[in-house]
Amino acid sequence: MTIENKKQWEKLLAKARHGNPDSQWEVGYYYEDGFIDSSGIVIVKPQILRALHWYTLAAEQGNDSGQLALSRLLSTGDGVKRDMNAAIPPCQDSCRLSWRDFVLISWGKRKGDDDNQILRRIQGEHYRQTTASEQR
């Protein structure tokens, strides 16, 4: 659902509150980026923690878009605490993405990186975190 005004936003929010996972993902999307209507009125202010909340609800119900968005936020730490241990399972298990796809979608590239450099960096980080948690 593409919203164009406050009334449509309220309908979308109501569907999300009633448990519709597609609507939950979409509410998260609008909270992540915010939304201003064609007349310049702010309909949704960007609120990353609310986006995280709605993405989590959608992801818990198996919504692929919600899982990917949740993984991306947690893996990049964009406005939230970075947590690779929490970021990897929703994306890998439920979105059925390969490591390469996960990395390229979620992390993007640093200047000068090739795909293999990104994969090595992420795999090394995951290994360090997994090893540390197993030693506890």
Side-chain angles (χ1 to χ4, degrees):
M1 170 181 210
T2 301
I3 64 169
E4 296 179 14
N5 55 51
K6 187 170 181 121
K7 187 175 184 176
Q8 288 176 336
W9 165 248
E10 290 169 354
K11 284 183 181 179
L12 178 65
L13 195 53
K15 289 169 93 176
R17 286 180 177 146
H18 281 98
N20 180 292
D22 293 331
S23 297
Q24 290 170 337
W25 167 79
E26 196 166 356
V27 165
Y29 169 84
Y30 283 111
Y31 272 127
E32 184 174 1
D33 292 336
F35 179 71
I36 300 173
D37 73 8
S38 60
S39 63
I41 296 172
V42 175
I43 303 297
V44 183
K45 292 180 184 178
Q47 297 179 53
I48 201 72
L49 293 178
R50 286 192 179 184
L52 181 68
H53 167 76
W54 288 105
Y55 287 154
T56 301
L57 292 177
E60 287 172 348
Q61 293 191 69
N63 179 278
D64 288 346
S65 298
Q67 291 161 338
L68 183 58
L70 177 61
S71 260
R72 180 181 41 77
L73 280 184
L74 292 173
S75 67
T76 61
D78 185 20
V80 300
K81 184 179 181 209
R82 186 171 170 222
D83 185 348
M84 287 301 294
N85 286 328
I88 292 171
C91 191
Q92 267 194 315
D93 296 342
S94 300
C95 293
R96 297 164 299 281
L97 293 176
S98 68
W99 258 104
R100 182 180 185 283
D101 292 338
F102 169 74
V103 169
L104 295 177
I105 291 168
S106 299
W107 281 66
K109 292 186 176 186
R110 291 182 185 169
K111 195 170 189 173
D113 276 352
D114 66 21
D115 294 352
N116 289 328
Q117 288 171 311
I118 297 169
L119 287 170
R120 283 191 301 274
R121 187 171 61 245
I122 303 310
Q123 288 170 336
E125 176 70 17
H126 178 64
Y127 175 78
R128 281 189 294 283
Q129 289 185 8
T130 302
T131 303
S133 67
E134 289 173 353
Q135 292 175 352
R136 289 183 210 159

